[in-house]
Amino acid sequence: MDNLLAGPPPTHLPDLPEAREALESGAKASDVAARFPAFPAAWATLAEEYFAQGHAVTSYAFARTGYHRGLDQLRRAGWKGHGPIPWEHEPNRGFLRCLSALARAALAIGEKDEAERCNQFLKDSSQTAYDALTKG
């Protein structure tokens, strides 16, 4: 018997091995994003790199791109706008990193409401991701 109160099942994004391997092998994130624009991890890497260099607006743009690409993939994977997106499933991490990067960059450019919304979405999607990505 199904537990009707359990909520939606976790959503698992598909692995994109060629894109993942390119990024893991040291290819520039910009090259990976250009070749595989649907790969959120490349956008997350760009957002993180540019934020670390003090370019919050550019970071915001990269994070938002990856976030929207990830939302498209989540919907194709059956996500209905809520429910778990587990950090433990490696292909989900690019999207979750984009969501965290978007929150961080939004706060840096004065978009407090957007930052709070993104952080809550991150926490609601994966407490593990929230804990891993929002330390300090």
Side-chain angles (χ1 to χ4, degrees):
M1 179 172 260
D2 291 333
N3 180 352
L4 299 177
L5 300 177
T11 302
H12 296 104
L13 292 177
D15 188 21
L16 301 173
E18 193 175 359
R20 177 179 39 79
E21 290 165 7
L23 197 58
E24 289 172 354
S25 74
K28 290 189 332 186
S30 58
D31 292 341
V32 177
R35 187 166 172 217
F36 304 99
F39 185 55
W43 297 107
T45 301
L46 286 166
E48 292 159 356
E49 288 173 353
Y50 275 80
F51 192 84
Q53 295 169 14
H55 302 286
V57 171
T58 305
S59 174
Y60 183 92
F62 285 135
R64 182 152 299 280
T65 300
Y67 166 79
H68 281 288
R69 292 298 187 134
L71 284 177
D72 292 344
Q73 290 179 30
L74 284 166
R75 290 181 185 115
R76 283 193 300 272
W79 186 74
K80 303 289 188 222
H82 66 285
I85 305 167
W87 175 257
E88 294 78 9
H89 181 67
E90 184 73 32
N92 289 351
R93 289 185 180 192
F95 170 76
L96 295 166
R97 287 172 49 215
C98 283
L99 189 51
S100 177
L102 185 57
R104 185 174 47 248
L107 187 60
I109 64 172
E111 292 285 334
K112 184 179 179 210
D113 290 345
E114 175 76 352
E116 290 173 359
R117 183 190 69 76
C118 290
N119 273 323
Q120 189 61 55
F121 184 9
L122 179 63
K123 191 173 191 177
D124 292 346
S125 298
S126 171
Q127 181 69 48
T128 303
Y130 180 83
D131 293 344
L133 296 170
T134 62
K135 341 174 191 91

